[in-house]
């Protein structure tokens, strides 16, 4: 019983540590205006554009990040760092996800969605 309680304590501590440093993902759709990151979802109206650039970043991590593994539409970024950008098309929802690996061995996930309309 004592061994079981010890294992349960270690598991709950590591789960709490992973949640305590919950990072989030922010994004913006690049326009000619002064763009600002928003958490979870970003949208823009880019008149006449056939494509735009979506920019994503990891924010709010309160401990050192070892690497970020990008997924979904951001998979082309691989493990390039804490930010990623790629071309998007109008009227399409573009989800970017990431697995954040911390230097202490814990990890977290985050995602955000970017979209834009071309004014049609």
């Amino acid at each position: 019983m004592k061994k079981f309680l010890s294992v349960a304590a270690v598991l709950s501590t590591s789960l709490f540590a992973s949640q305590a440093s919950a990072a989030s993902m922010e994004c913006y759709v690049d326009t000619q205006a002064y763009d600002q990151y928003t958490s979870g979802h970003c949208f823009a109206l880019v008149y006449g554009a056939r494509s735009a650039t979506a920019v994503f970043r990891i924010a709010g991590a309160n401990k050192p990040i070892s690497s970020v593994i990008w997924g979904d539409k951001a998979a082309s970024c691989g493990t390039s760092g804490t930010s990623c950008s790629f071309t998007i098309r109008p009227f399409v929802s573009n989800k970017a996800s990431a697995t954040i690996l911390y230097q202490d061995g814990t990890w977290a996930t985050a995602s955000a969605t970017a979209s834009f309309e071309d004014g049609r």
Side-chain angles (χ1 to χ4, degrees):
M1 182 68 165
K2 189 174 187 179
K3 190 180 253 186
F4 173 76
L5 292 175
S6 296
V7 169
V10 168
L11 288 175
S12 65
T13 302
S14 65
L15 178 62
F16 176 74
S18 177
Q19 296 301 319
S21 64
S24 63
M25 189 179 298
E26 299 176 333
C27 65
Y28 68 85
V29 177
D30 196 17
T31 66
Q32 292 182 359
Y34 177 72
D35 302 308
Q36 294 184 6
Y37 283 99
T38 57
S39 184
H41 179 78
C42 52
F43 172 81
L45 184 58
V46 187
Y47 288 102
R50 292 185 179 201
S51 66
T53 301
V55 181
F56 297 84
R57 74 175 178 187
I58 303 301
N62 59 4
K63 55 185 174 178
I65 294 174
S66 175
S67 64
V68 176
I69 303 168
W70 294 94
D72 290 316
K73 298 272 182 145
S76 62
C77 293
T79 56
S80 64
T82 59
S83 64
C84 173
S85 63
F86 54 90
T87 301
I88 61 174
R89 304 281 176 228
F91 307 104
V92 177
S93 181
N94 299 275
K95 180 182 178 186
S97 63
T99 301
I100 304 145
L101 305 174
Y102 296 105
Q103 290 180 4
D104 66 1
T106 59
W107 59 275
T109 59
S111 65
T113 305
S115 60
F116 84 98
E117 294 182 11
D118 63 4
R120 284 186 231 179

